[in-house]
Amino acid sequence: MTERTRRPSAPTIYDIAEKAGVAASTVSRALNKPGRISTETEARIRAAADELGYRLNPMARSLQSGLTGNLALVMSDMTNPVYFDLVRGAERVTADAGCTLLFADSQENVDIELDAAQRLLRVADGLMLVGSRLSDEQILSLSALKPVVTVNRLVDGIPAATAEVEVGVHQAVRHLHELGHRDIVYLEGPSASWMNGRRHEVIAADAAALGMTVTFLDSDGPTIEGGHAAVPRVVATGATAVIAFNDLLAFGLLQGSREAGVDVPVSLSVVGFDDIFGANLLTPPLTTVRSHMRNLGEAAVLALRNAIAGEDERETERPATELIVRGTTGPVAPAGP
Amino acid sequence: MTERTRRPSAPTIYDIAEKAGVAASTVSRALNKPGRISTETEARIRAAADELGYRLNPMARSLQSGLTGNLALVMSDMTNPVYFDLVRGAERVTADAGCTLLFADSQENVDIELDAAQRLLRVADGLMLVGSRLSDEQILSLSALKPVVTVNRLVDGIPAATAEVEVGVHQAVRHLHELGHRDIVYLEGPSASWMNGRRHEVIAADAAALGMTVTFLDSDGPTIEGGHAAVPRVVATGATAVIAFNDLLAFGLLQGSREAGVDVPVSLSVVGFDDIFGANLLTPPLTTVRSHMRNLGEAAVLALRNAIAGEDERETERPATELIVRGTTGPVAPAGP
DNA sequence: CCTAAGATGGCAAGCGGTTGCCAGTCGGGC
DNA sequence: GCCCGACTGGCAACCGCTTGCCATCTTAGG
């Protein structure tokens, strides 16, 4: 057997206590309750701790307090670039608070999601659900265990962080209207997605207010393939513009259109949601509604920490959305009936 | 104060013991040591546990065993799509083992990386470093605390999971050679990246073997911006093809070339590494060397679990690489001297 | 000079499981 | 009929830290 690095068992507060000639409880207080112990004793203890390379055993503390200092995040699909900034923001704020972020991907699968949520909840103080596909009941049952915060989803009695929807959609619909579009398609996301419902509603309302016709088309899934497969059905509607539930769908729409010989943006305008990685790299670059996911991630962590602390859930601010106009939208083709 | 959901303290083995009329130790054994307790007693205990909705308190077990069942993963940049599949694979295998994955992003910053690693190490049984920018010494000092596994990086005495480099590079260089390229550029990644060093070496060797000239150019960073900024210097070398350290650089190269009026692949061929999200969506789609990151993530977890178990570190298999030929490579322009 | 409040530090009981050791029971072999 | 081992299950110590309560000592006020 190879000579491997010895990993001696970590020093405990008892080791420190012995070295400093005090009781373990005194060490604990010296390290955690500022002012509780006399200055010189505390200094002696800290010196001993440093010398021993002491590191607190979080499990022991957790056992006592019931709190782990971990926050869990379960998302529907980490491969979806939408969530990058969200995770970044969440991770950042979590670390700033001295906590650590646990994290799982449900791959758009309810069973996996539920399983991951329950698994993480055992070792975390609370849970954030992003783009959850769980039912309201399932979410409520999770929240019976530990505090739960939903992101871009509203469940009665559960604190939530949501991005504002209206402004971005409003800008997008108006933008299409100004370009002369009157018949548009909304390519739906997953029916279990709360955010999809919101976008659907707001688009319907805005379009109606401007006298535009909207056809709602289901997609196979919020993916590139889903968008690709939807092209024939979109074309069949005769609409001159499509708003897709997300950029992945829009990517697929673009890809499928090219293969089908449909010229974007000349004969079809395409708008996505989220402004994910790559949206500006395509040719033409994608017009899309950006939401500030980073802020959303931060807001979620804040809300969760509030819930864990048992504070009254204050209204969290809703990160804004805005239309980014690029190359996939253009004036409706002059060709008429 | 609003009437909020009661979260009664979770039932313990003592509650079960009382309900089943046995001792707590018997409950513990019934639940964990199959066969140690008589069938009917065990059944009675399990029934009581179910009825109470018992869930083991992992902290308590951890205190005892010193193991948390958490595996930590620190990566240089989670925004980099290369790591998607790696994380997916790692997460999957971790969950299958009944463990949970902790996860942090160092944003290409050594200080953040070290901080995150230390923070996670306190609550995890071991650590995986992906694309680490830490020095060998720093990594060794981490490994003095808990088992550490590096991914795509070799440090003496530290178990590692690495992707195979030779085959993919070999295919790429030969591919360019067959297209008639004789002068090529390698656009370097971060000097602190071990993988960059490997790619550099293998490209140098392969090119030399085929009688090709390679110019090595530094980049500002392994990002789209870095690739974009490098275009003038690449063009200045007079080379007819570039191999970029990763796809992000290649993306930038493509973008910059278009703006500079350099026609890819007619007057410049571009090859990337990793086959990240979006590589096939660009126009032209990117020729790139794919590595099977999912396998790499799985291999890393396996290696880490071995190290934690204290087993002799067996050789882990090295996931293969392969060239994916798409549209950014073409025959060298016939224009000659 | 006596009492009282404040400062300081120790004792010991948990937090929830795990496990070595032991005791009682039971069945079988000689 | 007796001894031994297998089988069951209980006791209690322990993992490392926190904290309520108490004892002691200081210092100040009356």
Side-chain angles (χ1 to χ4, degrees):
Chain A
M1 175 163 289
T2 67
E3 183 72 23
R4 49 169 58 244
T5 324
R6 274 269 156 275
R7 252 182 281 273
S9 61
T12 71
I13 57 171
Y14 290 94
D15 299 326
I16 301 178
E18 187 176 7
K19 192 175 183 76
V22 295
S25 54
T26 306
V27 175
S28 174
R29 281 192 271 256
L31 265 23
N32 303 307
K33 317 269 179 191
R36 177 65 173 77
I37 297 295
S38 72
T39 322
E40 55 268 36
T41 308
E42 180 176 331
R44 194 152 39 91
I45 289 174
R46 286 194 184 282
D50 278 354
E51 197 172 335
L52 258 31
Y54 171 75
R55 341 197 63 219
L56 178 135
N57 179 327
M59 275 92 74
R61 200 211 285 266
S62 294
L63 220 207
Q64 182 72 14
S65 67
L67 256 35
T68 63
N70 298 332
L71 306 182
L73 177 64
V74 174
M75 54 178 52
S76 52
D77 177 13
M78 69 146 288
T79 254
N80 187 332
V82 195
Y83 296 133
F84 281 7
D85 278 344
L86 189 151
V87 174
R88 273 269 178 96
E91 219 257 324
R92 175 66 187 287
V93 178
T94 306
D96 284 353
C99 301
T100 87
L101 188 66
L102 277 49
F103 161 100
D105 174 10
S106 69
Q107 299 170 46
E108 300 273 1
N109 177 314
V110 175
D111 295 330
I112 297 181
E113 179 170 357
L114 196 57
D115 183 63
Q118 288 176 335
R119 199 161 36 75
L120 288 183
L121 222 37
R122 295 152 49 119
V123 291
D125 298 336
L127 175 67
M128 292 171 277
L129 292 172
V130 181
S132 176
R133 306 294 185 240
L134 298 179
S135 68
D136 283 12
E137 290 70 33
Q138 289 172 312
I139 292 179
L140 284 167
S141 80
L142 287 173
S143 98
L145 271 33
K146 298 263 182 79
V148 172
V149 169
T150 52
V151 176
N152 278 353
R153 163 95 179 239
L154 289 184
V155 177
D156 213 35
I158 305 278
T162 55
E164 173 272 325
V165 181
E166 293 76 8
V167 176
V169 169
H170 200 66
Q171 291 177 353
V173 174
R174 176 162 296 275
H175 171 63
L176 291 177
H177 186 265
E178 283 169 359
L179 289 170
H181 298 276
R182 293 298 177 268
D183 291 300
I184 67 176
V185 165
Y186 175 62
L187 186 57
E188 307 258 1
S191 55
S193 159
W194 179 85
M195 185 49 95
N196 180 58
R198 284 297 293 146
R199 288 177 184 165
H200 179 125
E201 287 170 20
V202 180
I203 287 172
D206 279 7
L210 291 170
M212 299 162 73
T213 308
V214 189
T215 307
F216 294 95
L217 250 38
D218 284 337
S219 64
D220 299 340
T223 60
I224 294 181
E225 293 70 38
H228 194 283
V231 169
R233 288 182 294 132
V234 170
V235 170
T237 66
T240 56
V242 198
I243 302 180
F245 164 68
N246 70 9
D247 283 351
L248 252 21
L249 278 170
F251 283 15
L253 242 17
L254 258 35
Q255 207 180 46
S257 297
R258 178 172 320 146
E259 292 174 16
V262 176
D263 191 354
V264 174
V266 177
S267 45
L268 184 69
S269 286
V270 175
V271 179
F273 270 95
D274 302 332
D275 194 23
I276 65 174
F277 172 84
N280 60 335
L281 298 174
L282 304 182
T283 41
L286 183 68
T287 296
T288 186
V289 177
R290 171 190 297 169
S291 31
H292 293 261
M293 298 303 277
R294 178 171 204 118
N295 296 348
L296 197 56
E298 296 173 355
V301 172
L302 252 45
L304 184 56
R305 304 213 328 130
N306 273 347
I308 292 171
E311 290 178 18
D312 273 350
E313 45 211 81
R314 322 170 249 221
E315 202 59 28
T316 63
E317 61 196 313
R318 305 175 60 201
T321 53
E322 60 184 322
L323 180 70
I324 309 291
V325 178
R326 297 207 182 93
T328 56
T329 46
V332 66
Chain B
M1 175 163 287
T2 67
E3 186 67 26
R4 49 168 57 246
T5 324
R6 274 272 156 274
R7 252 180 282 273
S9 61
T12 72
I13 56 170
Y14 292 94
D15 299 326
I16 300 178
E18 187 176 7
K19 192 174 183 77
V22 296
S25 53
T26 306
V27 175
S28 175
R29 282 192 270 255
L31 264 24
N32 304 306
K33 317 269 178 193
R36 177 67 174 74
I37 298 295
S38 72
T39 322
E40 56 267 37
T41 309
E42 181 176 331
R44 193 151 41 92
I45 290 175
R46 287 197 182 280
D50 278 354
E51 197 171 336
L52 257 32
Y54 171 76
R55 341 197 62 218
L56 177 137
N57 179 330
M59 276 92 75
R61 199 211 286 266
S62 295
L63 219 205
Q64 180 74 12
S65 66
L67 256 34
T68 63
N70 298 332
L71 306 181
L73 177 64
V74 175
M75 53 177 54
S76 53
D77 176 14
M78 69 148 286
T79 255
N80 187 332
V82 195
Y83 296 135
F84 280 7
D85 278 344
L86 190 150
V87 173
R88 274 272 179 94
E91 219 258 322
R92 175 66 188 286
V93 178
T94 306
D96 284 352
C99 299
T100 87
L101 187 66
L102 277 47
F103 161 99
D105 173 11
S106 70
Q107 299 171 45
E108 301 273 2
N109 177 314
V110 176
D111 294 330
I112 296 181
E113 180 170 357
L114 195 57
D115 183 62
Q118 289 175 335
R119 198 160 36 74
L120 289 183
L121 223 35
R122 296 154 45 119
V123 292
D125 298 335
L127 175 66
M128 292 170 277
L129 292 172
V130 181
S132 177
R133 306 297 185 239
L134 298 180
S135 69
D136 284 12
E137 291 69 33
Q138 290 172 312
I139 292 179
L140 285 167
S141 80
L142 286 174
S143 98
L145 271 33
K146 298 264 183 79
V148 171
V149 169
T150 51
V151 176
N152 279 353
R153 162 96 179 239
L154 288 185
V155 177
D156 213 36
I158 305 278
T162 55
E164 173 271 327
V165 181
E166 293 76 9
V167 175
V169 169
H170 200 65
Q171 291 176 353
V173 174
R174 175 162 296 275
H175 171 64
L176 291 177
H177 185 265
E178 283 169 358
L179 291 171
H181 298 276
R182 292 298 177 268
D183 292 301
I184 67 175
V185 165
Y186 176 62
L187 186 58
E188 307 256 2
S191 55
S193 159
W194 177 86
M195 185 49 94
N196 180 59
R198 285 296 293 145
R199 289 176 184 166
H200 178 125
E201 288 170 20
V202 179
I203 287 171
D206 280 5
L210 292 171
M212 300 161 73
T213 307
V214 189
T215 307
F216 293 96
L217 249 38
D218 282 337
S219 64
D220 300 341
T223 59
I224 293 180
E225 293 71 37
H228 194 283
V231 169
R233 288 183 294 132
V234 171
V235 170
T237 65
T240 57
V242 198
I243 302 180
F245 163 69
N246 68 10
D247 283 350
L248 252 20
L249 279 170
F251 282 15
L253 241 18
L254 258 34
Q255 205 179 47
S257 297
R258 177 172 320 147
E259 291 173 15
V262 176
D263 191 353
V264 174
V266 176
S267 45
L268 184 69
S269 286
V270 175
V271 178
F273 270 97
D274 302 333
D275 192 25
I276 65 173
F277 172 84
N280 60 336
L281 298 175
L282 304 183
T283 40
L286 183 67
T287 296
T288 186
V289 177
R290 171 190 296 170
S291 33
H292 292 260
M293 300 301 278
R294 178 172 203 117
N295 297 347
L296 197 56
E298 296 173 354
V301 172
L302 253 43
L304 184 56
R305 303 212 330 131
N306 274 346
I308 292 171
E311 289 177 20
D312 273 349
E313 46 210 81
R314 324 169 247 220
E315 201 60 27
T316 63
E317 60 196 314
R318 305 174 60 202
T321 53
E322 61 183 321
L323 180 70
I324 308 291
V325 178
R326 296 206 184 92
T328 57
T329 46
V332 66

